[in-house]
Amino acid sequence: MKRFCLSVLGLICLAVSSYAAVSGTVIDASGVPVPDAMITYTNLANRLIYAYSNASGQFCIPAPSEWDLNNLSMYKTLPCNTGVRSVPAGTKAFSGFNIRTQGSTVFFSVGKALHVVTADVYDSRGKFVIRALNRALADGTYSLTLSAGLSRQMYCVRLSDGTHAEIFSMLNCGGRIAAPGLDKIMLSKSSDPVSLAKITAVDGLRVGKTGYAPDTVQLNTYNDGFGNVKITKIDIEYRVDSLLSLMTQDEKIGQLMQPAGTTQDIARTALLGSYLKGEGNAGPMNGALQTRLKIPLIVGNDWVHGGRLVYFPHEVGLGCANDTLLTELAYRIYAMCCLPLYNNECFAPCIDVHRSDFSGRVYEGFAETPELTVPLTRAAVRGLQGTDLSSGTTMMATLKHWAAGGGTNGGGGWANANTAPNLGVLATIHFPPFLAGVKAGVASVMTGYQQVFGVVMSTNKQLVTDTLKTGWGFDGFVITDWGTSNNQEAACVNAGNDLCMTVDPNTFPAKIKAAVPGTIPQARLDDAVKRILRTKFRMGLFENPWPNLNLNNYLASQEYRNVARQCVRKSLVLLKNDNATLPLAKTANVHVVGTWADHMGYQCGGWSATNATLVGNTNALATGDEGWQGSTTAHGIPGATTILQAILAACAGKGTVTSNTTAANIPATANVIVVVVGEAAYAEGSGDKTDISLPADQQTLVQTCAASGKPVVTILITGRPNVLGTIPGNSKALVAAWLPGTEGEGIADVLFGDFNFTGKLSVTWPVSNAQEPINTGNMGDNVGAGGAPLFAYGFGLTYP
Ligand code: BGC
């Protein structure tokens, strides 16, 4: 993509005359004139008047005395293409107010008898200048005297009679106006007092290249009676409209597609707007930049707990840690690892408030309550997105799975579950994290597989369009979940989904074309495209579609590992600690038992790159494959530390550490047995169960260890609170370690007392399957057989 990088060198020469037209030439850094640049007198809310540079780069903004908002055609006769706009919507062009200035006095007639009128005057930067009460003249005209000596510049006046407030922008009033009565200074009128701040917030003269790449031209500031005019960036909405107006229907439809992987050729020929899984491949972006409009791609990926050799605890662990700063930091590191693989959309955080532990996605969410999920949602969005999506170290977050994804009961089937029994449950349990994320400025939201009130979310117009977009004012884009738009493309788009995940670029365009305008109104298609483009502009992709590959230098750094290790420490929940069995002495003879003690695949759980193709090599670093269902492979991530390895390191040179995957041959010399049990890795679908008991052989393992008479410390590696059967009774100490990721040392840190336990359960721990769903409080959704939980929500012991 050719990128303009315009800087303008002394380009404005003000015409010297009794009025102050602004004219000049827009040139680029090498002095070449830039045609079709838009030069705007503006403030944040109102584009007051604008002009386009002609083929020679010249422009002219006429003087206020030449403006006649009721007669736009006059501008056709001006030297350059000039126009006047009066925005925002609802603001009417207005010239009948009969304002005139004389010396430092502004006269205005309000057309009816008002009593006392206050006039607050703001300068072009929104700074309050003066408040004046009107003085009524005999003919019902009011006058307002500005302080003598005010410079001639742009002012904004807010008139109020106590009931109504009206805002007027003006130019050229002040002490230097030479010809009384000649200047018609009304430009726009807004009856919305709220917009005062917008109108007065930023004033300036903007210059931008039109079209899809309206690069901002930096102008020298100048001062000629208008005050110092600072050139500000052209606003994104203008760029969006401008680009949309250039697009063909095919190009628009292309923006809606996110196939599961692509090539440079397909990205180019299918006019793709997006695809899934960057995997370090620059090809597709190159393809997109070879298209007519050169619109860069959104590249999505699941980066739900880090990757590229450093995995953090899954969200349920972060929920127990409940540390917003640490969560923010963790997600920023995810972004910095993920970006150089050419991904720029992270399908995270999952903010489902999981209400049933039968669901295989419990570990993907922070907690069973909105109270815990809301602040961590904000933290995760802040971490991924920062305050500037174009910063180079931040990426777009995607809240998932809208709406009420956490309401599935798992056992009933993820895809078909009707997840909210009533509106109250929807509003009080499932909405709050999404609302918090939207308010935090999240760029995108993913609709889930689930149904709400019998309507599958991918086609649920009421919740996608009416609630999320119209109701909450979400102005980013909505993306469908994997495969949900296949074969119901039109229905998905019509419901309000904008980007369609995993569609087939060979068939999708024809289907959408056939549906517009019959099923999908053209305005809906345009709105979807605008939302996607708006996000791309916010991401700064048009300025720079490429990631900062220097971020690769930080991969697997000790700093990243330290943060992950800290997350592990804080995520651990001490459920039982009889006889102060913990902390262990580093000088002890520790016997470590169980497959889970030395198994990186299980320790990381689903969405982790420990699958067979990555074992024992550095591909995980290179590709960052997120390994959907996780791995059954014990080792495979270079630099990662299993629990056994961490215990060995903690005791090195002090105590003795022995180990065995089974309970056979327990050394007589052992002072304590650390047995690690849990669930094998899984993700959505395969993790859905109606029996969440830890298997009998694991219970037997703990029992056999206990039978040795030695104290048993049981560590649970699991994605949910399992039914534990005999395990608690056979354990002197019990620790929920969730799915901690690669930094096993975080567990040793706390086991050996270098750090205290601080984690508290973000989920209620059931005694039996029959109790499911079991959650704290009665929030109006389904409850199981009842009875006291094994461990209550919020429970967690500490060392004294
Ligand atoms: C999951 C999403 C995920 C998507 C893309 C779906 O199956 O439900 O959570 O982001 O796949 O991998």
Side-chain angles (χ1 to χ4, degrees), residues 514-538:
V516 180
T519 309
I520 306 173
Q522 182 67 43
R524 168 77 276 270
L525 174 61
D526 287 353
D527 172 60
V529 177
K530 282 176 76 166
R531 286 167 178 273
I532 291 163
L533 295 179
R534 178 183 294 138
T535 309
K536 291 180 177 181
F537 281 117
R538 285 178 179 163

Side-chain angles (χ1 to χ4, degrees), residues 276 302 347 361 400-401 446 449 481-482 501 607 684:
L276 201 148
D302 291 279
F347 298 144
R361 308 197 77 148
K400 66 186 188 182
H401 305 83
M446 187 189 294
Y449 295 131
D481 202 346
W482 184 287
M501 191 194 286
W607 303 102
E684 53 185 304

Side-chain angles (χ1 to χ4, degrees), residues 203-527:
D203 285 329
L205 186 67
R206 300 177 193 186
V207 177
K209 182 76 178 71
T210 58
Y212 63 91
D215 300 57
T216 300
V217 178
Q218 293 299 324
L219 292 176
N220 293 338
T221 56
Y222 68 98
N223 188 339
D224 190 71
F226 290 86
N228 288 319
V229 175
K230 188 172 179 314
I231 306 309
T232 54
K233 272 199 163 183
I234 195 156
D235 63 272
I236 282 178
E237 291 312 305
Y238 166 70
R239 299 178 72 175
V240 171
D241 290 345
S242 173
L243 177 50
L244 188 77
S245 70
L246 299 175
M247 294 172 82
T248 64
Q249 194 79 330
D250 286 336
E251 285 164 337
K252 289 179 182 177
I253 293 171
Q255 287 301 305
L256 272 56
M257 293 194 277
Q258 186 184 77
T262 194
T263 63
Q264 175 160 341
D265 280 352
I266 295 173
R268 180 173 49 80
T269 54
L271 300 168
L272 289 187
S274 177
Y275 73 105
L276 201 148
K277 285 185 197 291
E279 310 208 318
N281 179 7
M285 189 67 90
N286 273 319
L289 299 181
Q290 286 159 9
T291 59
R292 183 179 77 99
L293 293 175
K294 305 173 181 60
I295 303 175
L297 296 167
I298 285 171
V299 189
N301 210 344
D302 291 279
W303 212 260
V304 302
H305 70 138
R308 306 186 81 185
L309 305 191
V310 182
Y311 285 98
F312 286 62
H314 269 292
E315 273 189 19
V316 68
L318 295 181
C320 294
N322 190 21
D323 183 325
T324 49
L325 278 178
L326 201 53
T327 301
E328 181 174 343
L329 194 52
Y331 276 86
R332 178 61 53 85
I333 292 174
Y334 304 172
M336 288 169 70
C337 295
C338 186
L339 283 162
L341 293 173
Y342 296 86
N343 301 304
N344 51 33
E345 176 186 13
C346 184
F347 298 144
C350 172
I351 54 170
D352 294 335
V353 178
H354 288 112
R355 302 296 284 173
S356 167
D357 301 311
F358 287 168
S359 164
R361 308 197 77 148
V362 167
Y363 70 81
E364 290 188 61
F366 292 114
E368 70 181 30
T369 61
E371 286 81 0
L372 266 185
T373 309
V374 162
L376 295 172
T377 298
R378 288 196 205 103
V381 172
R382 266 199 313 273
L384 286 170
Q385 297 195 167
T387 51
D388 177 3
L389 270 178
S390 68
S391 72
T393 55
T394 50
M395 70 191 296
M396 187 200 325
T398 301
L399 305 180
K400 66 186 188 182
H401 305 83
W402 176 254
T408 176
N409 67 8
W414 167 255
N416 296 316
N418 194 12
T419 52
N422 56 53
L423 199 57
V425 165
L426 195 60
T428 56
I429 300 179
H430 299 292
F431 278 178
F434 284 90
L435 184 56
V438 167
K439 282 190 176 166
V442 78
S444 69
V445 175
M446 187 189 294
T447 47
Y449 295 131
Q450 71 279 3
Q451 297 173 17
V452 177
F453 305 151
V455 184
V456 68
M457 275 312 304
S458 47
T459 59
N460 198 319
K461 190 172 188 178
Q462 191 187 7
L463 287 174
V464 179
T465 298
D466 301 349
T467 303
L468 180 64
K469 290 179 166 178
T470 311
W472 295 357
F474 173 60
D475 70 353
F477 68 81
V478 176
I479 180 172
T480 62
D481 202 346
W482 184 287
T484 54
S485 48
N486 299 358
N487 299 321
Q488 49 170 357
E489 294 81 354
C492 280
V493 173
N494 221 20
N497 292 283
D498 306 302
L499 188 56
C500 298
M501 191 194 286
T502 67
V503 294
D504 178 355
N506 292 316
T507 55
F508 181 85
K511 290 178 180 173
I512 299 297
K513 247 185 171 165
V516 180
T519 309
I520 306 173
Q522 182 67 43
R524 168 77 276 270
L525 174 61
D526 287 353
D527 172 60

Side-chain angles (χ1 to χ4, degrees), residues 66-86:
E66 295 176 340
W67 301 356
D68 182 348
L69 299 174
N70 291 329
N71 181 15
L72 298 184
S73 60
M74 66 173 276
Y75 296 107
K76 294 195 178 117
T77 62
L78 289 170
C80 308
N81 310 321
T82 307
V84 170
R85 274 195 191 181
S86 181

